[in-house]
Every structure is written in C-alpha cells, then in structure tokens.
Amino acid sequence: RVLGLRGEAIAIALKAPPVDGAANEALLKLIARQLKVSAEAVELVRGATGRSKWIRVVGWSAHQVRAALLRPGA
C-alpha cells in the first residue's frame, strides 16, 4: 500500500520478502494496479537490490505518477 511521502520519495509498504526479486515484482504489480496500466508498462530503472527504487511508467510523466499514487483513495 502507498503510505505517503517520505521526503521527496513515495513510501510504499509491501508484504513480499526482498528475496529473489519478489519485493520488486510486487512493487511493480502494485504500481501497475494503482495506475490501471499493464504490468509491462511499469519498469524498475534503478535500485533492484536497495530499498530506494526508481521506476518508469510508459506514457506517464513523473508528476503524473506521483499525483496518481498520492491521490486520496488510490
């Protein structure tokens, strides 16, 4: 679930363990579901092994992604 802003980053809580890419996969699926886009449209750009991630959503600006994820009820 999206927790809100932590500094400039969006904090997201996941149940998936950070083992064998499970947490990364869960993150990408959550973002795709929240934005109502296909899973293929969401890409992990940086941070595969760290807590901080950078993602890209095809056809979306960073501002649009941020606004959609932080929208109340999203």
Side-chain angles (χ1 to χ4, degrees), residues 9-27:
I10 299 172
I12 296 177
L14 301 170
K15 291 182 181 179
V19 177
D20 297 329
N24 290 338
E25 186 176 325
L27 173 67

Side-chain angles (χ1 to χ4, degrees), residues 47-71:
T49 60
R51 290 179 58 89
S52 295
K53 314 286 185 193
W54 287 54
I55 58 128
R56 175 181 303 130
V57 180
V58 175
W60 291 61
S61 70
H63 177 76
Q64 290 171 313
V65 170
R66 178 182 290 263
L69 290 176
L70 296 173
R71 183 178 59 242

Side-chain angles (χ1 to χ4, degrees), residues 9-40:
I10 299 172
I12 296 177
L14 301 170
K15 291 182 181 179
V19 177
D20 297 329
N24 290 338
E25 186 176 325
L27 173 67
L28 298 179
K29 286 182 180 180
L30 178 134
I31 292 171
R33 187 172 56 249
Q34 293 286 100
L35 301 181
K36 297 179 176 66
V37 299
S38 71
E40 294 78 25

